[in-house]
mmCIF file with all atom_site columns, all heavy atoms in Angstrom:
data_model
loop_
_atom_site.group_PDB
_atom_site.id
_atom_site.type_symbol
_atom_site.label_atom_id
_atom_site.label_alt_id
_atom_site.label_comp_id
_atom_site.label_asym_id
_atom_site.label_entity_id
_atom_site.label_seq_id
_atom_site.pdbx_PDB_ins_code
_atom_site.Cartn_x
_atom_site.Cartn_y
_atom_site.Cartn_z
_atom_site.occupancy
_atom_site.B_iso_or_equiv
_atom_site.pdbx_formal_charge
_atom_site.auth_seq_id
_atom_site.auth_comp_id
_atom_site.auth_asym_id
_atom_site.auth_atom_id
_atom_site.pdbx_PDB_model_num
ATOM 1   N N   . LEU A 1 472 ? -10.547 -8.747 -1.974 1.00 80.00 ? 498 LEU A N   1
ATOM 2   C CA  . LEU A 1 472 ? -9.439  -7.818 -2.240 1.00 80.00 ? 498 LEU A CA  1
ATOM 3   C C   . LEU A 1 472 ? -9.956  -6.394 -2.469 1.00 80.00 ? 498 LEU A C   1
ATOM 4   O O   . LEU A 1 472 ? -9.401  -5.422 -1.966 1.00 80.00 ? 498 LEU A O   1
ATOM 5   C CB  . LEU A 1 472 ? -8.655  -8.268 -3.480 1.00 80.00 ? 498 LEU A CB  1
ATOM 6   C CG  . LEU A 1 472 ? -7.619  -9.373 -3.307 1.00 80.00 ? 498 LEU A CG  1
ATOM 7   C CD1 . LEU A 1 472 ? -7.055  -9.749 -4.663 1.00 80.00 ? 498 LEU A CD1 1
ATOM 8   C CD2 . LEU A 1 472 ? -6.497  -8.947 -2.381 1.00 80.00 ? 498 LEU A CD2 1
ATOM 9   N N   . ARG A 1 473 ? -11.052 -6.308 -3.244 1.00 79.00 ? 499 ARG A N   1
ATOM 10  C CA  . ARG A 1 473 ? -11.634 -4.988 -3.535 1.00 79.00 ? 499 ARG A CA  1
ATOM 11  C C   . ARG A 1 473 ? -12.151 -4.332 -2.266 1.00 79.00 ? 499 ARG A C   1
ATOM 12  O O   . ARG A 1 473 ? -11.906 -3.152 -2.020 1.00 79.00 ? 499 ARG A O   1
ATOM 13  C CB  . ARG A 1 473 ? -12.771 -5.151 -4.551 1.00 79.00 ? 499 ARG A CB  1
ATOM 14  C CG  . ARG A 1 473 ? -13.440 -3.852 -4.945 1.00 79.00 ? 499 ARG A CG  1
ATOM 15  C CD  . ARG A 1 473 ? -14.645 -4.117 -5.837 1.00 79.00 ? 499 ARG A CD  1
ATOM 16  N NE  . ARG A 1 473 ? -15.669 -4.883 -5.141 1.00 79.00 ? 499 ARG A NE  1
ATOM 17  C CZ  . ARG A 1 473 ? -16.539 -4.363 -4.282 1.00 79.00 ? 499 ARG A CZ  1
ATOM 18  N NH1 . ARG A 1 473 ? -16.491 -3.081 -3.981 1.00 79.00 ? 499 ARG A NH1 1
ATOM 19  N NH2 . ARG A 1 473 ? -17.458 -5.127 -3.725 1.00 79.00 ? 499 ARG A NH2 1
ATOM 20  N N   . ILE A 1 474 ? -12.862 -5.112 -1.450 1.00 84.00 ? 500 ILE A N   1
ATOM 21  C CA  . ILE A 1 474 ? -13.428 -4.564 -0.201 1.00 84.00 ? 500 ILE A CA  1
ATOM 22  C C   . ILE A 1 474 ? -12.312 -4.144 0.753  1.00 84.00 ? 500 ILE A C   1
ATOM 23  O O   . ILE A 1 474 ? -12.354 -3.060 1.348  1.00 84.00 ? 500 ILE A O   1
ATOM 24  C CB  . ILE A 1 474 ? -14.355 -5.611 0.474  1.00 84.00 ? 500 ILE A CB  1
ATOM 25  C CG1 . ILE A 1 474 ? -15.604 -5.821 -0.413 1.00 84.00 ? 500 ILE A CG1 1
ATOM 26  C CG2 . ILE A 1 474 ? -14.768 -5.148 1.867  1.00 84.00 ? 500 ILE A CG2 1
ATOM 27  C CD1 . ILE A 1 474 ? -16.435 -7.028 -0.006 1.00 84.00 ? 500 ILE A CD1 1
ATOM 28  N N   . MET A 1 475 ? -11.294 -4.995 0.887  1.00 85.00 ? 501 MET A N   1
ATOM 29  C CA  . MET A 1 475 ? -10.173 -4.647 1.774  1.00 85.00 ? 501 MET A CA  1
ATOM 30  C C   . MET A 1 475 ? -9.434  -3.412 1.252  1.00 85.00 ? 501 MET A C   1
ATOM 31  O O   . MET A 1 475 ? -9.006  -2.551 2.047  1.00 85.00 ? 501 MET A O   1
ATOM 32  C CB  . MET A 1 475 ? -9.211  -5.828 1.907  1.00 85.00 ? 501 MET A CB  1
ATOM 33  C CG  . MET A 1 475 ? -9.740  -6.958 2.788  1.00 85.00 ? 501 MET A CG  1
ATOM 34  S SD  . MET A 1 475 ? -8.483  -8.216 3.079  1.00 85.00 ? 501 MET A SD  1
ATOM 35  C CE  . MET A 1 475 ? -9.274  -9.226 4.327  1.00 85.00 ? 501 MET A CE  1
ATOM 36  N N   . GLY A 1 476 ? -9.260  -3.329 -0.058 1.00 78.00 ? 502 GLY A N   1
ATOM 37  C CA  . GLY A 1 476 ? -8.608  -2.143 -0.636 1.00 78.00 ? 502 GLY A CA  1
ATOM 38  C C   . GLY A 1 476 ? -9.408  -0.883 -0.373 1.00 78.00 ? 502 GLY A C   1
ATOM 39  O O   . GLY A 1 476 ? -8.848  0.176  -0.062 1.00 78.00 ? 502 GLY A O   1
ATOM 40  N N   . TYR A 1 477 ? -10.732 -1.004 -0.456 1.00 79.00 ? 503 TYR A N   1
ATOM 41  C CA  . TYR A 1 477 ? -11.609 0.134  -0.155 1.00 79.00 ? 503 TYR A CA  1
ATOM 42  C C   . TYR A 1 477 ? -11.448 0.566  1.299  1.00 79.00 ? 503 TYR A C   1
ATOM 43  O O   . TYR A 1 477 ? -11.533 1.746  1.643  1.00 79.00 ? 503 TYR A O   1
ATOM 44  C CB  . TYR A 1 477 ? -13.061 -0.255 -0.434 1.00 79.00 ? 503 TYR A CB  1
ATOM 45  C CG  . TYR A 1 477 ? -14.067 0.819  -0.122 1.00 79.00 ? 503 TYR A CG  1
ATOM 46  C CD1 . TYR A 1 477 ? -14.218 1.928  -0.964 1.00 79.00 ? 503 TYR A CD1 1
ATOM 47  C CD2 . TYR A 1 477 ? -14.866 0.742  1.016  1.00 79.00 ? 503 TYR A CD2 1
ATOM 48  C CE1 . TYR A 1 477 ? -15.131 2.916  -0.688 1.00 79.00 ? 503 TYR A CE1 1
ATOM 49  C CE2 . TYR A 1 477 ? -15.792 1.730  1.314  1.00 79.00 ? 503 TYR A CE2 1
ATOM 50  C CZ  . TYR A 1 477 ? -15.917 2.820  0.456  1.00 79.00 ? 503 TYR A CZ  1
ATOM 51  O OH  . TYR A 1 477 ? -16.824 3.817  0.747  1.00 79.00 ? 503 TYR A OH  1
ATOM 52  N N   . LYS A 1 478 ? -11.152 -0.412 2.176  1.00 84.00 ? 504 LYS A N   1
ATOM 53  C CA  . LYS A 1 478 ? -10.959 -0.109 3.606  1.00 84.00 ? 504 LYS A CA  1
ATOM 54  C C   . LYS A 1 478 ? -9.478  0.131  3.925  1.00 84.00 ? 504 LYS A C   1
ATOM 55  O O   . LYS A 1 478 ? -9.053  0.050  5.063  1.00 84.00 ? 504 LYS A O   1
ATOM 56  C CB  . LYS A 1 478 ? -11.514 -1.253 4.454  1.00 84.00 ? 504 LYS A CB  1
ATOM 57  C CG  . LYS A 1 478 ? -13.026 -1.409 4.331  1.00 84.00 ? 504 LYS A CG  1
ATOM 58  C CD  . LYS A 1 478 ? -13.554 -2.546 5.180  1.00 84.00 ? 504 LYS A CD  1
ATOM 59  C CE  . LYS A 1 478 ? -15.060 -2.731 5.009  1.00 84.00 ? 504 LYS A CE  1
ATOM 60  N NZ  . LYS A 1 478 ? -15.838 -1.617 5.542  1.00 84.00 ? 504 LYS A NZ  1
ATOM 61  N N   . LYS A 1 479 ? -8.658  0.372  2.881  1.00 81.00 ? 505 LYS A N   1
ATOM 62  C CA  . LYS A 1 479 ? -7.259  0.776  2.994  1.00 81.00 ? 505 LYS A CA  1
ATOM 63  C C   . LYS A 1 479 ? -6.325  -0.329 3.498  1.00 81.00 ? 505 LYS A C   1
ATOM 64  O O   . LYS A 1 479 ? -5.336  -0.058 4.164  1.00 81.00 ? 505 LYS A O   1
ATOM 65  C CB  . LYS A 1 479 ? -7.119  2.037  3.861  1.00 81.00 ? 505 LYS A CB  1
ATOM 66  C CG  . LYS A 1 479 ? -7.876  3.235  3.297  1.00 81.00 ? 505 LYS A CG  1
ATOM 67  C CD  . LYS A 1 479 ? -7.622  4.486  4.094  1.00 81.00 ? 505 LYS A CD  1
ATOM 68  C CE  . LYS A 1 479 ? -8.347  5.674  3.466  1.00 81.00 ? 505 LYS A CE  1
ATOM 69  N NZ  . LYS A 1 479 ? -8.115  6.921  4.206  1.00 81.00 ? 505 LYS A NZ  1
ATOM 70  N N   . PHE A 1 480 ? -6.657  -1.563 3.142  1.00 84.00 ? 506 PHE A N   1
ATOM 71  C CA  . PHE A 1 480 ? -5.750  -2.679 3.392  1.00 84.00 ? 506 PHE A CA  1
ATOM 72  C C   . PHE A 1 480 ? -5.476  -3.307 2.040  1.00 84.00 ? 506 PHE A C   1
ATOM 73  O O   . PHE A 1 480 ? -6.340  -3.961 1.458  1.00 84.00 ? 506 PHE A O   1
ATOM 74  C CB  . PHE A 1 480 ? -6.388  -3.689 4.358  1.00 84.00 ? 506 PHE A CB  1
ATOM 75  C CG  . PHE A 1 480 ? -5.469  -4.808 4.772  1.00 84.00 ? 506 PHE A CG  1
ATOM 76  C CD1 . PHE A 1 480 ? -4.112  -4.635 4.821  1.00 84.00 ? 506 PHE A CD1 1
ATOM 77  C CD2 . PHE A 1 480 ? -5.992  -6.047 5.152  1.00 84.00 ? 506 PHE A CD2 1
ATOM 78  C CE1 . PHE A 1 480 ? -3.256  -5.672 5.221  1.00 84.00 ? 506 PHE A CE1 1
ATOM 79  C CE2 . PHE A 1 480 ? -5.167  -7.082 5.562  1.00 84.00 ? 506 PHE A CE2 1
ATOM 80  C CZ  . PHE A 1 480 ? -3.802  -6.893 5.595  1.00 84.00 ? 506 PHE A CZ  1
ATOM 81  N N   . TYR A 1 481 ? -4.271  -3.112 1.505  1.00 79.00 ? 507 TYR A N   1
ATOM 82  C CA  . TYR A 1 481 ? -3.945  -3.492 0.137  1.00 79.00 ? 507 TYR A CA  1
ATOM 83  C C   . TYR A 1 481 ? -3.088  -4.756 0.141  1.00 79.00 ? 507 TYR A C   1
ATOM 84  O O   . TYR A 1 481 ? -1.978  -4.769 0.669  1.00 79.00 ? 507 TYR A O   1
ATOM 85  C CB  . TYR A 1 481 ? -3.218  -2.354 -0.573 1.00 79.00 ? 507 TYR A CB  1
ATOM 86  C CG  . TYR A 1 481 ? -3.919  -1.040 -0.462 1.00 79.00 ? 507 TYR A CG  1
ATOM 87  C CD1 . TYR A 1 481 ? -3.556  -0.111 0.521  1.00 79.00 ? 507 TYR A CD1 1
ATOM 88  C CD2 . TYR A 1 481 ? -4.966  -0.703 -1.321 1.00 79.00 ? 507 TYR A CD2 1
ATOM 89  C CE1 . TYR A 1 481 ? -4.220  1.102  0.642  1.00 79.00 ? 507 TYR A CE1 1
ATOM 90  C CE2 . TYR A 1 481 ? -5.626  0.510  -1.201 1.00 79.00 ? 507 TYR A CE2 1
ATOM 91  C CZ  . TYR A 1 481 ? -5.249  1.399  -0.223 1.00 79.00 ? 507 TYR A CZ  1
ATOM 92  O OH  . TYR A 1 481 ? -5.895  2.612  -0.105 1.00 79.00 ? 507 TYR A OH  1
ATOM 93  N N   . LEU A 1 482 ? -3.612  -5.840 -0.462 1.00 80.00 ? 508 LEU A N   1
ATOM 94  C CA  . LEU A 1 482 ? -2.922  -7.117 -0.463 1.00 80.00 ? 508 LEU A CA  1
ATOM 95  C C   . LEU A 1 482 ? -2.283  -7.369 -1.813 1.00 80.00 ? 508 LEU A C   1
ATOM 96  O O   . LEU A 1 482 ? -2.797  -6.969 -2.861 1.00 80.00 ? 508 LEU A O   1
ATOM 97  C CB  . LEU A 1 482 ? -3.880  -8.249 -0.125 1.00 80.00 ? 508 LEU A CB  1
ATOM 98  C CG  . LEU A 1 482 ? -4.551  -8.146 1.257  1.00 80.00 ? 508 LEU A CG  1
ATOM 99  C CD1 . LEU A 1 482 ? -5.453  -9.345 1.486  1.00 80.00 ? 508 LEU A CD1 1
ATOM 100 C CD2 . LEU A 1 482 ? -3.519  -8.039 2.364  1.00 80.00 ? 508 LEU A CD2 1
#
Side-chain angles (χ1 to χ4, degrees):
L498 279 175
R499 181 186 63 79
I500 292 168
M501 286 188 171
Y503 178 75
K504 295 180 183 293
K505 299 185 178 181
F506 186 28
Y507 308 97
L508 300 181

